[in-house]
Amino acid sequence: MSGLAPSILSANFLDLPGQVSMVEANKADYLHIDVMDGRFVPNITFGPWLVKTLRPLTRLVLDVHLMIVEPEKYISAFASAGADIITVHAEATHHLDRLIDQIRESGCKAGVSLNPATTLDAVQYVLPKIDLLLLMSVNPGFGGQKYLGYVTEKIKAARRMIDESGLACLIEVDGGIHEGNISQVRRAGADILVAGNAVFGQPDPGATCLKLKNLLDEADGKNQDLHLPE
Ligand code: DX5
Ligand code: ZN
Protein backbone atom coordinates (compact mmCIF):
# COMPACT_ATOMS: atom_id res chain seq x y z
CA MET A 1 0.00 0.00 0.00
CA SER A 2 1.26 3.46 -0.84
CA GLY A 3 1.34 6.63 1.24
CA LEU A 4 1.34 10.35 0.57
CA ALA A 5 3.67 12.69 2.45
CA PRO A 6 2.95 16.39 1.91
CA SER A 7 6.06 18.47 2.61
CA ILE A 8 5.49 21.34 5.01
CA LEU A 9 8.31 23.23 3.25
CA SER A 10 5.85 24.73 0.79
CA ALA A 11 3.09 25.46 3.34
CA ASN A 12 1.76 28.85 4.33
CA PHE A 13 3.37 29.27 7.75
CA LEU A 14 0.97 32.05 8.69
CA ASP A 15 -1.60 29.31 9.14
CA LEU A 16 0.37 26.26 10.12
CA PRO A 17 -2.40 24.50 12.10
CA GLY A 18 -4.87 25.11 9.24
CA GLN A 19 -2.47 23.78 6.61
CA VAL A 20 -1.75 20.64 8.61
CA SER A 21 -5.39 19.86 9.29
CA MET A 22 -6.23 20.46 5.64
CA VAL A 23 -3.93 17.63 4.52
CA GLU A 24 -4.75 15.42 7.49
CA ALA A 25 -8.46 15.67 6.64
CA ASN A 26 -7.69 14.80 3.02
CA LYS A 27 -6.02 11.43 3.44
CA ALA A 28 -2.37 12.39 3.83
CA ASP A 29 -0.44 9.63 5.62
CA TYR A 30 2.73 11.42 6.68
CA LEU A 31 3.88 14.99 7.21
CA HIS A 32 7.28 15.47 5.60
CA ILE A 33 9.55 17.96 7.36
CA ASP A 34 12.58 19.20 5.39
CA VAL A 35 15.40 20.27 7.67
CA MET A 36 18.18 22.21 5.89
CA ASP A 37 21.31 23.72 7.39
CA GLY A 38 22.85 25.89 4.66
CA ARG A 39 25.84 23.53 4.56
CA PHE A 40 24.73 20.16 3.24
CA VAL A 41 22.30 22.04 1.00
CA PRO A 42 22.28 25.67 -0.13
CA ASN A 43 19.23 26.64 1.90
CA ILE A 44 18.24 26.97 5.56
CA THR A 45 14.86 25.95 6.94
CA PHE A 46 13.94 24.82 10.43
CA GLY A 47 15.06 22.83 13.44
CA PRO A 48 13.61 20.59 16.17
CA TRP A 49 11.36 23.41 17.38
CA LEU A 50 9.13 22.99 14.33
CA VAL A 51 8.73 19.27 15.02
CA LYS A 52 7.81 20.15 18.60
CA THR A 53 5.30 22.73 17.36
CA LEU A 54 3.71 20.30 14.90
CA ARG A 55 3.53 17.30 17.25
CA PRO A 56 0.44 18.35 19.22
CA LEU A 57 -1.30 19.58 16.06
CA THR A 58 -1.53 16.26 14.25
CA ARG A 59 -1.69 12.49 14.41
CA LEU A 60 0.10 12.20 11.07
CA VAL A 61 3.42 10.39 11.08
CA LEU A 62 6.13 13.06 11.37
CA ASP A 63 8.65 12.17 8.68
CA VAL A 64 11.79 14.24 9.34
CA HIS A 65 14.25 14.55 6.45
CA LEU A 66 17.60 15.85 7.68
CA MET A 67 19.60 17.59 4.97
CA ILE A 68 22.34 18.62 7.35
CA VAL A 69 26.00 17.88 8.00
CA GLU A 70 26.93 16.10 11.23
CA PRO A 71 23.42 14.70 11.67
CA GLU A 72 24.65 12.61 14.63
CA LYS A 73 24.63 15.80 16.73
CA TYR A 74 20.89 16.37 16.33
CA ILE A 75 19.23 12.94 16.43
CA SER A 76 18.25 13.12 20.08
CA ALA A 77 16.86 16.67 19.70
CA PHE A 78 14.61 15.62 16.83
CA ALA A 79 13.56 12.42 18.60
CA SER A 80 12.62 14.30 21.79
CA ALA A 81 10.75 16.88 19.75
CA GLY A 82 8.41 14.12 18.52
CA ALA A 83 9.78 12.81 15.21
CA ASP A 84 8.49 9.38 14.18
CA ILE A 85 10.92 8.77 11.33
CA ILE A 86 14.35 10.35 11.07
CA THR A 87 16.03 10.16 7.68
CA VAL A 88 19.68 11.08 7.19
CA HIS A 89 21.74 11.40 4.04
CA ALA A 90 24.34 8.73 3.38
CA GLU A 91 26.48 11.52 1.89
CA ALA A 92 26.38 13.51 5.13
CA THR A 93 28.08 11.05 7.47
CA HIS A 94 31.27 8.99 7.64
CA HIS A 95 29.61 6.39 9.85
CA LEU A 96 26.25 5.50 8.42
CA ASP A 97 25.90 2.19 10.26
CA ARG A 98 26.54 3.80 13.63
CA LEU A 99 24.15 6.65 12.82
CA ILE A 100 21.35 4.22 11.94
CA ASP A 101 21.84 2.53 15.32
CA GLN A 102 21.71 5.93 17.00
CA ILE A 103 18.37 6.74 15.33
CA ARG A 104 16.91 3.38 16.38
CA GLU A 105 18.15 3.82 19.93
CA SER A 106 16.42 7.21 20.04
CA GLY A 107 13.12 5.34 19.52
CA CYS A 108 12.51 6.54 15.96
CA LYS A 109 12.28 4.65 12.69
CA ALA A 110 15.46 5.01 10.66
CA GLY A 111 15.62 6.25 7.09
CA VAL A 112 18.55 6.80 4.76
CA SER A 113 18.42 9.18 1.83
CA LEU A 114 20.47 9.27 -1.36
CA ASN A 115 21.01 12.26 -3.63
CA PRO A 116 20.02 11.64 -7.24
CA ALA A 117 23.57 10.87 -8.41
CA THR A 118 24.51 8.57 -5.50
CA THR A 119 24.41 4.91 -6.42
CA LEU A 120 22.39 2.33 -4.52
CA ASP A 121 25.62 0.59 -3.45
CA ALA A 122 25.86 3.21 -0.69
CA VAL A 123 22.98 1.51 1.16
CA GLN A 124 23.25 -2.09 -0.02
CA TYR A 125 24.62 -3.46 3.24
CA VAL A 126 22.42 -1.44 5.58
CA LEU A 127 19.08 -2.06 3.85
CA PRO A 128 18.21 -4.87 6.30
CA LYS A 129 18.50 -2.46 9.24
CA ILE A 130 16.59 0.55 7.94
CA ASP A 131 12.87 1.23 7.73
CA LEU A 132 13.00 3.64 4.84
CA LEU A 133 15.10 4.37 1.76
CA LEU A 134 14.48 7.92 0.58
CA LEU A 135 15.48 8.47 -3.04
CA MET A 136 15.85 12.12 -3.98
CA SER A 137 14.42 12.89 -7.40
CA VAL A 138 15.72 16.47 -7.35
CA ASN A 139 18.93 17.90 -5.95
CA PRO A 140 17.96 18.63 -2.34
CA GLY A 141 17.63 22.21 -1.15
CA PHE A 142 14.47 23.65 -2.64
CA GLY A 143 10.85 22.82 -3.29
CA GLY A 144 9.24 23.22 -6.69
CA GLN A 145 12.02 21.68 -8.82
CA LYS A 146 11.60 19.37 -11.80
CA TYR A 147 11.64 15.57 -11.33
CA LEU A 148 14.87 14.06 -12.69
CA GLY A 149 13.72 11.37 -15.12
CA TYR A 150 16.72 9.07 -14.64
CA VAL A 151 15.70 8.46 -11.03
CA THR A 152 12.83 6.26 -12.24
CA GLU A 153 15.35 3.55 -13.20
CA LYS A 154 16.96 3.89 -9.78
CA ILE A 155 13.58 3.43 -8.07
CA LYS A 156 13.00 0.26 -10.09
CA ALA A 157 16.46 -1.05 -9.19
CA ALA A 158 15.89 -0.29 -5.48
CA ARG A 159 12.52 -2.05 -5.63
CA ARG A 160 14.18 -5.16 -7.11
CA MET A 161 16.98 -5.05 -4.54
CA ILE A 162 14.52 -4.87 -1.64
CA ASP A 163 12.05 -7.43 -2.98
CA GLU A 164 14.70 -9.95 -3.99
CA SER A 165 16.11 -9.86 -0.45
CA GLY A 166 12.63 -10.09 1.09
CA LEU A 167 13.18 -6.89 3.08
CA ALA A 168 10.48 -4.68 4.58
CA CYS A 169 12.24 -1.37 3.92
CA LEU A 170 9.93 1.19 2.31
CA ILE A 171 10.96 3.34 -0.64
CA GLU A 172 10.13 7.04 -0.43
CA VAL A 173 10.61 9.34 -3.41
CA ASP A 174 11.11 13.05 -2.87
CA GLY A 175 11.16 15.92 -5.34
CA GLY A 176 9.14 17.10 -8.30
CA ILE A 177 6.17 14.78 -7.73
CA HIS A 178 2.86 16.03 -9.11
CA GLU A 179 -0.44 14.85 -10.55
CA GLY A 180 1.18 14.09 -13.91
CA ASN A 181 3.87 11.69 -12.67
CA ILE A 182 2.76 10.33 -9.27
CA SER A 183 1.17 7.17 -10.69
CA GLN A 184 4.21 6.37 -12.81
CA VAL A 185 6.57 6.82 -9.86
CA ARG A 186 4.34 4.64 -7.70
CA ARG A 187 4.37 1.93 -10.38
CA ALA A 188 8.16 2.14 -10.59
CA GLY A 189 8.20 0.94 -6.99
CA ALA A 190 7.84 3.91 -4.61
CA ASP A 191 5.82 3.26 -1.45
CA ILE A 192 5.74 6.82 -0.11
CA LEU A 193 5.49 9.86 -2.32
CA VAL A 194 6.53 13.27 -1.05
CA ALA A 195 4.75 16.28 -2.54
CA GLY A 196 5.54 19.84 -1.50
CA ASN A 197 4.70 22.35 -4.18
CA ALA A 198 2.11 20.01 -5.75
CA VAL A 199 0.09 20.20 -2.51
CA PHE A 200 0.85 23.35 -0.54
CA GLY A 201 1.73 25.46 -3.58
CA GLN A 202 -1.81 25.05 -4.91
CA PRO A 203 -4.81 27.29 -4.23
CA ASP A 204 -6.65 24.43 -2.48
CA PRO A 205 -4.06 22.15 -0.78
CA GLY A 206 -6.76 19.91 0.69
CA ALA A 207 -8.41 19.16 -2.66
CA THR A 208 -5.04 18.58 -4.35
CA CYS A 209 -3.93 16.29 -1.55
CA LEU A 210 -7.04 14.18 -2.00
CA LYS A 211 -6.54 14.09 -5.75
CA LEU A 212 -2.94 12.84 -5.38
CA LYS A 213 -4.03 10.26 -2.84
CA ASN A 214 -6.78 9.04 -5.17
CA LEU A 215 -4.24 8.71 -7.99
CA LEU A 216 -2.10 6.59 -5.67
CA ASP A 217 -5.08 4.43 -4.73
CA GLU A 218 -5.83 3.93 -8.41
CA ALA A 219 -2.24 2.93 -9.10
CA ASP A 220 -2.58 0.44 -6.23
CA GLY A 221 -5.61 -1.06 -7.91
CA LYS A 222 -8.15 0.50 -5.58
CA ASN A 223 -11.09 2.58 -6.82
CA GLN A 224 -11.05 0.62 -10.06
CA ASP A 225 -14.83 0.47 -10.02
CA LEU A 226 -14.86 4.25 -10.48
CA HIS A 227 -13.69 3.68 -14.04
CA LEU A 228 -16.09 0.96 -15.04
CA PRO A 229 -18.41 2.02 -17.86
CA GLU A 230 -22.00 2.66 -16.78
C1 DX5 B 1 13.90 19.11 -1.38
C2 DX5 B 1 13.07 18.53 -0.27
C3 DX5 B 1 11.73 18.08 -0.71
C4 DX5 B 1 10.86 19.16 -1.22
C5 DX5 B 1 9.95 18.56 -2.23
O1 DX5 B 1 15.15 19.40 -0.90
O2 DX5 B 1 13.70 17.42 0.33
O3 DX5 B 1 11.06 17.34 0.29
O4 DX5 B 1 10.08 19.77 -0.23
O5 DX5 B 1 9.28 19.59 -2.80
P1 DX5 B 1 8.55 19.48 -4.20
O6 DX5 B 1 7.52 18.42 -4.05
O7 DX5 B 1 8.00 20.85 -4.35
O8 DX5 B 1 9.59 19.13 -5.22
ZN1 ZN C 1 12.43 16.06 1.72
Side-chain angles (χ1 to χ4, degrees):
M1 220 186 56
S2 58
L4 184 65
S7 167
I8 203 74
L9 183 64
S10 300
N12 173 7
F13 275 65
L14 290 177
D15 179 24
L16 201 52
Q19 300 269 288
V20 172
S21 47
M22 218 181 281
V23 294
E24 187 161 13
N26 283 288
K27 295 196 178 174
D29 304 280
Y30 304 79
L31 194 62
H32 188 81
I33 303 168
D34 286 309
V35 177
M36 306 185 189
D37 66 350
R39 294 184 65 206
F40 183 70
V41 290
N43 195 8
I44 302 176
T45 57
F46 20 75
W49 60 267
L50 181 67
V51 177
K52 199 172 174 187
T53 304
L54 290 168
R55 185 67 288 172
L57 298 180
T58 180
R59 297 178 69 176
L60 290 173
V61 176
L62 297 184
D63 170 29
V64 177
H65 177 193
L66 296 185
M67 286 160 276
I68 63 175
V69 298
E70 300 182 307
E72 12 334 82
K73 288 188 180 169
Y74 301 96
I75 302 303
S76 82
F78 281 100
S80 332
D84 295 299
I85 306 170
I86 299 180
T87 297
V88 291
H89 270 260
E91 303 90 348
T93 180
H94 294 300
H95 300 287
L96 185 59
D97 182 86
R98 180 185 289 148
L99 181 55
I100 292 165
D101 289 344
Q102 191 188 346
I103 298 172
R104 291 203 162 286
E105 282 156 19
S106 78
C108 294
K109 295 207 165 172
V112 174
S113 182
L114 299 178
N115 285 335
T118 304
T119 60
L120 292 172
D121 304 4
V123 289
Q124 181 184 353
Y125 295 108
V126 293
L127 277 181
K129 61 190 287 183
I130 62 176
D131 300 289
L132 187 76
L133 173 63
L134 194 170
L135 298 177
M136 290 305 304
S137 41
V138 296
N139 288 297
F142 303 94
Q145 301 181 80
K146 193 174 176 302
Y147 180 88
L148 293 167
Y150 69 81
V151 175
T152 305
E153 277 313 307
K154 190 176 174 184
I155 299 165
K156 290 181 184 167
R159 181 81 272 157
R160 281 195 299 273
M161 207 177 203
I162 289 169
D163 291 351
E164 281 167 10
S165 315
L167 299 171
C169 173
L170 297 173
I171 299 175
E172 182 172 31
V173 176
D174 185 5
I177 300 294
H178 53 75
E179 284 174 31
N181 62 13
I182 194 167
S183 311
Q184 185 198 341
V185 177
R186 166 61 182 151
R187 287 196 200 101
D191 299 296
I192 305 172
L193 288 299
V194 177
N197 189 53
V199 172
F200 289 113
Q202 307 308 310
D204 186 346
T208 321
C209 181
L210 191 60
K211 206 173 202 177
L212 290 172
K213 182 68 182 180
N214 285 338
L215 285 169
L216 281 181
D217 285 349
E218 274 178 41
D220 287 357
K222 292 189 204 160
N223 295 345
Q224 276 170 344
D225 51 340
L226 293 178
H227 298 291
L228 289 175
E230 300 263 312

